[in-house]
Amino acid sequence: MTEKLSQEMRDIFYSVEKNYNEIAENIAAAAIKSGRHPEDITFLAATKTVEPAVINHAISLGLRYIGENKVQELLSKYDEYDLDNCQLQFIGHLQTNKVRQIIGRVSMIQSVDSLKLATEISKQSVKNGVNTDILIEVNIGREENKSGVLEENLIELLEKTAALDNIKVRGLMTIPPICDSKTENYKFFDRMNKLFIDISAKTLDNVSMDFLSMGMSEDYQDAILAGANMVRVGSRLFGARIYR
Ligand SMILES: *Cc1c(COP(=O)(O)O)cnc(C)c1O
């Protein structure tokens, strides 16, 4: 197998390995700096546009979580992922009519922002005899065209979602607005962390605040310093995305 790899593929594998090690070290350093252990932080790779052979190479290096953000792309790659030691999650905007296609295939859906979507996830999970973990996506920057629930509606959505069958709320996710400064960016992360802590303290039924998923290629270290325990890194690991 290995000797058949093209030079191009070998170059990609090499840079993914270098990037993987660098990101893992940065995550570990940020974890320690924020008073936690490296293993407290979950490193999820955002794999959109990345071909399965490259994703599987990253998995062979120790990657344990991958996330796709389009249903069609996930399905087209699904049979090729090497998922024996790796969990596949859904991290993108999810249309209700597509839920049925991913239930049973993903270990967690990170982007739940409405009761309608949660209800469909519950319904399809019951139908398939599985339990689905979810995160509630928060629109922390109150951006008009962005997915996510607004802060003031979060508790209500959490409570109603938690009451549904075969769904387990495991935490919160956000994609903050694009900011001009690191300070401004950090404020959104910090605000999310406060929400996360407040909700943890409320001990709502069937809600466990296990994951605070925030931080991407440009800001995952800052996100960890602000309290994130799951980061979603794409281009920093796999290189710039080429949309075909
Ligand atoms: C693409 C994507 C990421 C990763 O983005 P990068 O900037 O490439 O690291 C993280 N989260 C979601 C939801 C994504 O779609």
Side-chain angles (χ1 to χ4, degrees):
M1 182 73 194
T2 314
E3 61 274 15
K4 282 192 189 146
L5 284 178
S6 65
Q7 184 60 41
E8 188 198 0
M9 207 51 144
R10 267 183 282 161
D11 290 347
I12 294 172
F13 280 14
Y14 177 80
S15 78
V16 167
E17 181 161 358
K18 197 167 131 281
N19 295 342
Y20 180 84
N21 292 332
E22 193 180 294
I23 295 163
E25 275 171 32
N26 290 341
I27 288 174
I32 290 164
K33 207 170 161 189
S34 65
R36 290 171 293 169
H37 301 289
E39 61 271 22
D40 295 337
I41 315 295
T42 300
F43 172 10
L44 175 141
T47 50
K48 56 179 172 276
T49 78
V50 181
E51 58 180 294
V54 178
I55 298 171
N56 291 341
H57 183 63
I59 294 171
S60 79
L61 301 171
L63 182 69
R64 292 294 167 259
Y65 298 84
I66 59 173
E68 289 286 354
N69 74 330
K70 290 209 166 67
V71 170
Q72 202 185 335
E73 182 176 346
L74 182 151
L75 294 175
S76 74
K77 288 149 86 172
Y78 187 75
D79 289 337
E80 292 176 76
Y81 300 124
D82 193 354
L83 295 178
D84 289 346
N85 297 306
C86 183
Q87 291 189 26
L88 171 64
Q89 304 195 352
F90 194 79
I91 60 175
H93 179 67
L94 181 58
Q95 287 169 278
T96 310
N97 63 358
K98 294 196 173 157
V99 168
R100 138 188 95 70
Q101 300 179 274
I102 63 167
I103 292 301
R105 291 195 164 96
V106 296
S107 65
M108 184 152 83
I109 298 173
Q110 295 208 7
S111 40
V112 178
D113 63 356
S114 71
L115 187 61
K116 182 171 172 243
L117 179 57
T119 303
E120 181 64 13
I121 293 170
S122 164
K123 190 178 135 196
Q124 295 298 335
S125 298
V126 170
K127 214 170 173 179
N128 285 273
V130 296
N131 290 305
T132 305
D133 284 352
I134 64 158
L135 302 183
I136 300 290
E137 181 174 355
V138 181
N139 183 353
I140 196 68
R142 315 185 69 85
E143 292 171 283
E144 267 186 33
N145 298 312
K146 201 130 170 193
S147 313
V149 62
L150 293 174
E151 277 171 68
E152 59 270 30
N153 302 326
L154 177 58
I155 299 287
E156 189 189 350
L157 179 59
L158 276 168
E159 285 175 338
K160 289 190 171 159
T161 300
L164 299 169
D165 292 330
N166 296 45
I167 265 194
K168 177 88 186 151
V169 183
R170 300 290 305 275
L172 305 177
M173 181 271 224
T174 198
I175 306 173
I178 296 167
C179 297
D180 294 333
S181 74
K182 271 189 172 287
T183 333
E184 203 191 335
N185 198 33
Y186 193 89
K187 277 187 196 154
F188 289 115
F189 288 149
D190 193 48
R191 193 158 182 84
M192 276 301 294
N193 188 48
K194 290 209 166 73
L195 281 177
F196 184 74
I197 291 169
D198 285 352
I199 293 164
S200 307
K202 285 194 202 312
T203 59
L204 303 172
D205 279 349
N206 202 30
V207 171
S208 23
M209 285 287 123
D210 299 320
F211 296 105
L212 176 56
S213 172
M214 58 186 190
M216 314 199 288
S217 287
E218 297 309 318
D219 53 17
Y220 65 94
Q221 290 145 291
D222 289 339
I224 294 169
L225 294 179
N229 61 12
M230 178 185 267
V231 293
R232 309 176 310 268
V233 181
S235 45
R236 194 49 66 88
L237 176 60
F238 296 115
R241 278 185 285 279
I242 302 162
Y243 289 91
R244 293 173 206 273

